[in-house]
Amino acid sequence: MASRLLHRLRHALAGDGPGEVAAGPEAEQFPESSELEDDDAEGLSSRLSGTLSFTSAEDEDEEDEEDDEEAPDSLPAADGASGEDAEQSSAPDGQRSSQLLPRQLQDFWKKSRNTLVPQRLLFEVTSANVVKDPPSKYVLYTIAVMGPGPPDRQPAKISRRYSDFERLHRNLQRQFRGPMAAISFPRKRLRRNFTAETIARRSRAFEQFLSHLQAVPELRHAPDLQDFFVLPELRHAQSLTCTGLYREALALWANAWQLQAQLGTLSGPDRPLLTLAGLAVCHQELEDPGEARACCERALQLLGDKSPHPLLAPFLEAHVRLSWRLGLDKRQSEAQLQALQEAGLTPTPPPSLKELLIKEELE
């Protein structure tokens, strides 16, 4: 049922959906696999009337394959009527605006909260850039990840290429042959990979592909799917932090945190803690001790009373130092850190968050 609602929402985004999104008694089912076929031209115009648009088809490479390519030669991003910038429409009854604004999305979630899976997300390809790095060439798709939350919250975003989607599909097929049998994927083409029409078709297919994966609980929490969303962001943020580009890294750490929150993976012990360490380090280096201390407190809450974690002492040490700088109470963190040191569970002084962040190997 939830997939059907998402399917109708996708038609609403295309401007040809029904006036109301209604829940029916049917069991959850996927949209027709034909909508994911690369060369299905029928109905193309209705599916491409959302926010993604192109003004040129770019040149065609007869023999280029999209997964052996890599400096952007931009195919235009979404046209100006994106969800955040467009004004709310006052369409008459029976009609629906061609786009759902953030507040409208929230209304949709509220009305559907009794029928949708709690962690269900919405995906929208907002731009597609042709990237050239001779002799390689590929298309980089930017996907907005939207879920329940404050209506003014900016969606988390990821940028992936066809080969990333294909690798995810292949890995999940090996591990979950039954559930994956019902999920279609746009096939690879040897020609016309860089036309606006092909890119637009694939953009819609990728949206549906991710929505289908999120609709199946067994797939939703698969490690390969979590890696697809979060791991590239964490690696890039770590690299920028290690090279001292703290402001750029901060945006990536924040985006990675939002992705993990929307995916429901904040209960895992390691990546959320690493993300908070990156946020704390960047805030501290950018002279924002209040935010850095808040990140440390959130990490200490996640750690709780669990057996000593490699990041526990560094977070405690950072919390003590930041609390002293801000003139706030630090006695509890000091006592906990001292107890760890007296028990021989951490060196004196403990390694800093930045040191551990640089040494951490993300796999």
Short mmCIF file of all heavy atoms in Angstrom, two decimals, residues 164-181 183 185 209-210 212-214 216 218-229:
data_model
loop_
_atom_site.label_atom_id
_atom_site.label_comp_id
_atom_site.label_asym_id
_atom_site.label_seq_id
_atom_site.Cartn_x
_atom_site.Cartn_y
_atom_site.Cartn_z
N ASP A 164 27.56 3.26 -9.62
CA ASP A 164 27.28 3.09 -8.18
C ASP A 164 25.94 2.39 -7.98
O ASP A 164 25.82 1.49 -7.15
CB ASP A 164 27.25 4.46 -7.49
CG ASP A 164 28.60 5.16 -7.53
OD1 ASP A 164 29.63 4.48 -7.40
OD2 ASP A 164 28.62 6.40 -7.70
N PHE A 165 24.92 2.83 -8.74
CA PHE A 165 23.62 2.17 -8.65
C PHE A 165 23.72 0.71 -9.10
O PHE A 165 23.13 -0.18 -8.49
CB PHE A 165 22.60 2.90 -9.52
CG PHE A 165 22.08 4.18 -8.92
CD1 PHE A 165 22.63 5.40 -9.27
CD2 PHE A 165 21.03 4.16 -8.03
CE1 PHE A 165 22.16 6.58 -8.73
CE2 PHE A 165 20.53 5.33 -7.48
CZ PHE A 165 21.10 6.55 -7.83
N GLU A 166 24.45 0.49 -10.19
CA GLU A 166 24.57 -0.87 -10.71
C GLU A 166 25.27 -1.79 -9.71
O GLU A 166 24.87 -2.94 -9.52
CB GLU A 166 25.33 -0.84 -12.04
CG GLU A 166 25.39 -2.19 -12.74
CD GLU A 166 26.20 -2.14 -14.01
OE1 GLU A 166 27.26 -1.49 -14.02
OE2 GLU A 166 25.77 -2.75 -15.01
N ARG A 167 26.31 -1.29 -9.05
CA ARG A 167 27.02 -2.10 -8.04
C ARG A 167 26.10 -2.44 -6.88
O ARG A 167 26.09 -3.57 -6.39
CB ARG A 167 28.25 -1.34 -7.54
CG ARG A 167 29.15 -2.15 -6.63
CD ARG A 167 30.34 -1.33 -6.14
NE ARG A 167 31.05 -0.72 -7.26
CZ ARG A 167 31.05 0.58 -7.54
NH1 ARG A 167 30.37 1.43 -6.77
NH2 ARG A 167 31.73 1.05 -8.56
N LEU A 168 25.31 -1.46 -6.44
CA LEU A 168 24.35 -1.72 -5.37
C LEU A 168 23.35 -2.79 -5.79
O LEU A 168 23.07 -3.73 -5.03
CB LEU A 168 23.62 -0.43 -5.01
CG LEU A 168 22.45 -0.56 -4.03
CD1 LEU A 168 22.93 -1.04 -2.68
CD2 LEU A 168 21.71 0.78 -3.91
N HIS A 169 22.82 -2.65 -6.99
CA HIS A 169 21.84 -3.62 -7.49
C HIS A 169 22.45 -5.02 -7.55
O HIS A 169 21.82 -6.01 -7.12
CB HIS A 169 21.35 -3.18 -8.88
CG HIS A 169 20.34 -4.09 -9.49
ND1 HIS A 169 20.62 -4.91 -10.56
CD2 HIS A 169 19.04 -4.32 -9.17
CE1 HIS A 169 19.54 -5.59 -10.89
NE2 HIS A 169 18.57 -5.26 -10.07
N ARG A 170 23.66 -5.13 -8.06
CA ARG A 170 24.31 -6.43 -8.19
C ARG A 170 24.58 -7.07 -6.82
O ARG A 170 24.32 -8.26 -6.62
CB ARG A 170 25.63 -6.25 -8.96
CG ARG A 170 26.34 -7.55 -9.29
CD ARG A 170 27.49 -7.32 -10.25
NE ARG A 170 28.48 -6.39 -9.70
CZ ARG A 170 28.71 -5.18 -10.17
NH1 ARG A 170 28.00 -4.71 -11.19
NH2 ARG A 170 29.65 -4.41 -9.64
N ASN A 171 25.06 -6.27 -5.87
CA ASN A 171 25.35 -6.81 -4.54
C ASN A 171 24.08 -7.27 -3.83
O ASN A 171 24.07 -8.32 -3.18
CB ASN A 171 26.06 -5.75 -3.69
CG ASN A 171 27.47 -5.47 -4.16
OD1 ASN A 171 28.05 -6.26 -4.93
ND2 ASN A 171 28.04 -4.35 -3.74
N LEU A 172 23.01 -6.48 -3.94
CA LEU A 172 21.76 -6.88 -3.30
C LEU A 172 21.15 -8.11 -3.96
O LEU A 172 20.53 -8.95 -3.29
CB LEU A 172 20.77 -5.71 -3.33
CG LEU A 172 21.12 -4.50 -2.45
CD1 LEU A 172 20.11 -3.39 -2.64
CD2 LEU A 172 21.21 -4.89 -0.98
N GLN A 173 21.31 -8.23 -5.27
CA GLN A 173 20.80 -9.42 -5.95
C GLN A 173 21.49 -10.68 -5.45
O GLN A 173 20.85 -11.73 -5.30
CB GLN A 173 21.00 -9.30 -7.47
CG GLN A 173 19.87 -8.57 -8.19
CD GLN A 173 20.00 -8.70 -9.68
OE1 GLN A 173 21.10 -8.63 -10.23
NE2 GLN A 173 18.88 -8.88 -10.36
N ARG A 174 22.79 -10.59 -5.18
CA ARG A 174 23.51 -11.76 -4.68
C ARG A 174 23.04 -12.16 -3.29
O ARG A 174 22.96 -13.35 -2.97
CB ARG A 174 25.02 -11.47 -4.64
CG ARG A 174 25.71 -11.57 -5.99
CD ARG A 174 27.20 -11.74 -5.82
NE ARG A 174 27.80 -10.61 -5.11
CZ ARG A 174 28.42 -9.61 -5.71
NH1 ARG A 174 28.52 -9.59 -7.02
NH2 ARG A 174 28.95 -8.63 -5.00
N GLN A 175 22.72 -11.17 -2.45
CA GLN A 175 22.37 -11.46 -1.06
C GLN A 175 20.88 -11.69 -0.84
O GLN A 175 20.51 -12.42 0.08
CB GLN A 175 22.83 -10.29 -0.18
CG GLN A 175 24.32 -10.02 -0.24
CD GLN A 175 24.68 -8.71 0.44
OE1 GLN A 175 24.31 -8.48 1.60
NE2 GLN A 175 25.38 -7.84 -0.26
N PHE A 176 20.03 -11.07 -1.65
CA PHE A 176 18.58 -11.13 -1.43
C PHE A 176 17.88 -11.46 -2.75
O PHE A 176 17.14 -10.63 -3.29
CB PHE A 176 18.06 -9.80 -0.88
CG PHE A 176 18.76 -9.31 0.35
CD1 PHE A 176 19.79 -8.39 0.26
CD2 PHE A 176 18.40 -9.78 1.61
CE1 PHE A 176 20.44 -7.93 1.39
CE2 PHE A 176 19.04 -9.32 2.75
CZ PHE A 176 20.07 -8.40 2.64
N ARG A 177 18.09 -12.67 -3.23
CA ARG A 177 17.57 -13.02 -4.55
C ARG A 177 16.04 -12.97 -4.59
O ARG A 177 15.46 -12.54 -5.58
CB ARG A 177 18.07 -14.41 -4.95
CG ARG A 177 19.58 -14.51 -4.99
CD ARG A 177 20.05 -15.83 -5.56
NE ARG A 177 19.73 -15.95 -6.97
CZ ARG A 177 20.13 -16.95 -7.74
NH1 ARG A 177 20.87 -17.91 -7.22
NH2 ARG A 177 19.81 -17.00 -9.01
N GLY A 178 15.39 -13.40 -3.53
CA GLY A 178 13.93 -13.39 -3.50
C GLY A 178 13.35 -12.00 -3.57
O GLY A 178 12.62 -11.64 -4.51
N PRO A 179 13.66 -11.13 -2.57
CA PRO A 179 13.10 -9.77 -2.60
C PRO A 179 13.52 -8.97 -3.83
O PRO A 179 12.73 -8.17 -4.35
CB PRO A 179 13.67 -9.14 -1.32
CG PRO A 179 13.98 -10.29 -0.42
CD PRO A 179 14.38 -11.40 -1.32
N MET A 180 14.74 -9.18 -4.32
CA MET A 180 15.22 -8.38 -5.45
C MET A 180 14.59 -8.81 -6.78
O MET A 180 14.68 -8.08 -7.76
CB MET A 180 16.74 -8.49 -5.55
CG MET A 180 17.48 -7.73 -4.46
SD MET A 180 17.16 -5.95 -4.51
CE MET A 180 17.92 -5.50 -6.07
N ALA A 181 13.95 -9.99 -6.82
CA ALA A 181 13.36 -10.45 -8.06
C ALA A 181 12.24 -9.53 -8.53
O ALA A 181 11.95 -9.45 -9.73
CB ALA A 181 12.83 -11.87 -7.89
N ILE A 183 12.21 -6.25 -8.17
CA ILE A 183 12.70 -4.87 -8.32
C ILE A 183 13.48 -4.74 -9.61
O ILE A 183 14.48 -5.44 -9.82
CB ILE A 183 13.58 -4.47 -7.11
CG1 ILE A 183 12.73 -4.51 -5.84
CG2 ILE A 183 14.20 -3.09 -7.32
CD1 ILE A 183 13.48 -4.17 -4.59
N PHE A 185 15.63 -2.66 -12.72
CA PHE A 185 16.76 -1.74 -12.76
C PHE A 185 17.00 -1.35 -14.21
O PHE A 185 16.91 -2.20 -15.11
CB PHE A 185 18.01 -2.41 -12.18
CG PHE A 185 19.19 -1.51 -12.05
CD1 PHE A 185 19.26 -0.61 -10.99
CD2 PHE A 185 20.22 -1.52 -12.98
CE1 PHE A 185 20.34 0.25 -10.86
CE2 PHE A 185 21.30 -0.66 -12.87
CZ PHE A 185 21.36 0.23 -11.80
N PHE A 209 13.74 2.98 -8.12
CA PHE A 209 14.60 1.90 -7.61
C PHE A 209 14.85 2.08 -6.12
O PHE A 209 14.67 1.14 -5.33
CB PHE A 209 15.91 1.90 -8.39
CG PHE A 209 16.94 0.92 -7.89
CD1 PHE A 209 16.72 -0.45 -7.96
CD2 PHE A 209 18.13 1.37 -7.34
CE1 PHE A 209 17.68 -1.35 -7.50
CE2 PHE A 209 19.09 0.49 -6.88
CZ PHE A 209 18.86 -0.88 -6.96
N LEU A 210 15.24 3.28 -5.69
CA LEU A 210 15.50 3.52 -4.28
C LEU A 210 14.22 3.43 -3.45
O LEU A 210 14.24 2.93 -2.32
CB LEU A 210 16.16 4.90 -4.09
CG LEU A 210 17.56 5.05 -4.69
CD1 LEU A 210 18.06 6.48 -4.52
CD2 LEU A 210 18.54 4.07 -4.04
N HIS A 212 11.67 1.52 -4.10
CA HIS A 212 11.35 0.10 -3.98
C HIS A 212 12.20 -0.56 -2.90
O HIS A 212 11.70 -1.37 -2.11
CB HIS A 212 11.59 -0.60 -5.31
CG HIS A 212 10.62 -0.20 -6.38
ND1 HIS A 212 10.71 -0.65 -7.68
CD2 HIS A 212 9.53 0.61 -6.35
CE1 HIS A 212 9.72 -0.14 -8.39
NE2 HIS A 212 9.01 0.63 -7.61
N LEU A 213 13.49 -0.24 -2.86
CA LEU A 213 14.37 -0.83 -1.84
C LEU A 213 13.90 -0.43 -0.44
O LEU A 213 13.91 -1.25 0.48
CB LEU A 213 15.81 -0.39 -2.06
CG LEU A 213 16.48 -0.84 -3.36
CD1 LEU A 213 17.90 -0.31 -3.44
CD2 LEU A 213 16.46 -2.36 -3.50
N GLN A 214 13.50 0.82 -0.28
CA GLN A 214 13.03 1.29 1.02
C GLN A 214 11.71 0.65 1.41
O GLN A 214 11.37 0.60 2.59
CB GLN A 214 12.87 2.81 1.00
CG GLN A 214 14.16 3.58 1.22
CD GLN A 214 14.63 3.50 2.66
OE1 GLN A 214 13.86 3.75 3.58
NE2 GLN A 214 15.89 3.17 2.85
N VAL A 216 10.92 -2.47 1.21
CA VAL A 216 11.10 -3.84 1.68
C VAL A 216 11.97 -3.82 2.93
O VAL A 216 13.15 -3.49 2.86
CB VAL A 216 11.76 -4.71 0.59
CG1 VAL A 216 11.90 -6.16 1.07
CG2 VAL A 216 10.96 -4.65 -0.71
N GLU A 218 13.50 -6.01 4.64
CA GLU A 218 14.71 -6.82 4.56
C GLU A 218 15.82 -6.10 3.81
O GLU A 218 17.00 -6.27 4.10
CB GLU A 218 14.38 -8.15 3.87
CG GLU A 218 15.49 -9.18 3.94
CD GLU A 218 15.09 -10.50 3.31
OE1 GLU A 218 13.94 -10.60 2.82
OE2 GLU A 218 15.91 -11.43 3.32
N LEU A 219 15.43 -5.30 2.82
CA LEU A 219 16.41 -4.56 2.03
C LEU A 219 16.74 -3.22 2.65
O LEU A 219 17.86 -2.71 2.52
CB LEU A 219 15.88 -4.35 0.61
CG LEU A 219 15.57 -5.62 -0.19
CD1 LEU A 219 14.92 -5.24 -1.52
CD2 LEU A 219 16.83 -6.43 -0.42
N ARG A 220 15.76 -2.63 3.31
CA ARG A 220 15.92 -1.28 3.85
C ARG A 220 17.12 -1.17 4.79
O ARG A 220 17.80 -0.15 4.84
CB ARG A 220 14.64 -0.86 4.57
CG ARG A 220 14.60 0.58 5.03
CD ARG A 220 13.34 0.84 5.83
NE ARG A 220 12.17 0.32 5.13
CZ ARG A 220 11.15 -0.29 5.72
NH1 ARG A 220 11.16 -0.49 7.02
NH2 ARG A 220 10.14 -0.71 5.02
N HIS A 221 17.38 -2.23 5.56
CA HIS A 221 18.46 -2.20 6.54
C HIS A 221 19.68 -2.98 6.08
O HIS A 221 20.58 -3.25 6.89
CB HIS A 221 17.96 -2.74 7.88
CG HIS A 221 16.79 -1.98 8.42
ND1 HIS A 221 16.89 -0.66 8.81
CD2 HIS A 221 15.48 -2.33 8.60
CE1 HIS A 221 15.70 -0.24 9.23
NE2 HIS A 221 14.83 -1.22 9.11
N ALA A 222 19.75 -3.33 4.80
CA ALA A 222 20.91 -4.07 4.29
C ALA A 222 22.16 -3.21 4.37
O ALA A 222 22.13 -2.03 4.00
CB ALA A 222 20.66 -4.50 2.84
N PRO A 223 23.28 -3.76 4.84
CA PRO A 223 24.53 -2.97 4.94
C PRO A 223 24.94 -2.33 3.63
O PRO A 223 25.44 -1.20 3.62
CB PRO A 223 25.56 -4.01 5.42
CG PRO A 223 24.75 -5.03 6.16
CD PRO A 223 23.45 -5.11 5.42
N ASP A 224 24.74 -3.03 2.51
CA ASP A 224 25.15 -2.46 1.22
C ASP A 224 24.34 -1.21 0.89
O ASP A 224 24.88 -0.26 0.29
CB ASP A 224 24.99 -3.49 0.10
CG ASP A 224 26.15 -4.47 0.07
OD1 ASP A 224 27.26 -4.06 -0.28
OD2 ASP A 224 25.93 -5.66 0.41
N LEU A 225 23.07 -1.19 1.24
CA LEU A 225 22.25 0.00 1.00
C LEU A 225 22.69 1.15 1.91
O LEU A 225 22.76 2.30 1.48
CB LEU A 225 20.78 -0.32 1.20
CG LEU A 225 19.80 0.83 0.89
CD1 LEU A 225 19.95 1.29 -0.56
CD2 LEU A 225 18.36 0.40 1.16
N GLN A 226 22.99 0.84 3.18
CA GLN A 226 23.49 1.87 4.09
C GLN A 226 24.81 2.45 3.59
O GLN A 226 25.03 3.66 3.62
CB GLN A 226 23.68 1.29 5.50
CG GLN A 226 22.44 0.61 6.07
CD GLN A 226 21.27 1.57 6.23
OE1 GLN A 226 21.45 2.70 6.62
NE2 GLN A 226 20.07 1.09 5.93
N ASP A 227 25.69 1.56 3.10
CA ASP A 227 26.98 2.02 2.55
C ASP A 227 26.76 2.92 1.35
O ASP A 227 27.45 3.93 1.17
CB ASP A 227 27.84 0.83 2.15
CG ASP A 227 28.40 0.08 3.34
OD1 ASP A 227 28.29 0.59 4.48
OD2 ASP A 227 28.93 -1.03 3.14
N PHE A 228 25.82 2.56 0.49
CA PHE A 228 25.54 3.35 -0.71
C PHE A 228 25.19 4.79 -0.35
O PHE A 228 25.66 5.74 -1.00
CB PHE A 228 24.38 2.70 -1.48
CG PHE A 228 23.88 3.51 -2.64
CD1 PHE A 228 24.49 3.45 -3.87
CD2 PHE A 228 22.77 4.34 -2.49
CE1 PHE A 228 24.01 4.20 -4.94
CE2 PHE A 228 22.29 5.09 -3.55
CZ PHE A 228 22.91 5.02 -4.78
N PHE A 229 24.38 4.97 0.69
CA PHE A 229 23.95 6.30 1.07
C PHE A 229 25.02 7.08 1.83
O PHE A 229 25.21 8.28 1.59
CB PHE A 229 22.69 6.22 1.95
CG PHE A 229 21.43 6.00 1.19
CD1 PHE A 229 20.75 4.80 1.26
CD2 PHE A 229 20.90 7.00 0.38
CE1 PHE A 229 19.57 4.60 0.55
CE2 PHE A 229 19.74 6.81 -0.34
CZ PHE A 229 19.06 5.60 -0.24
#
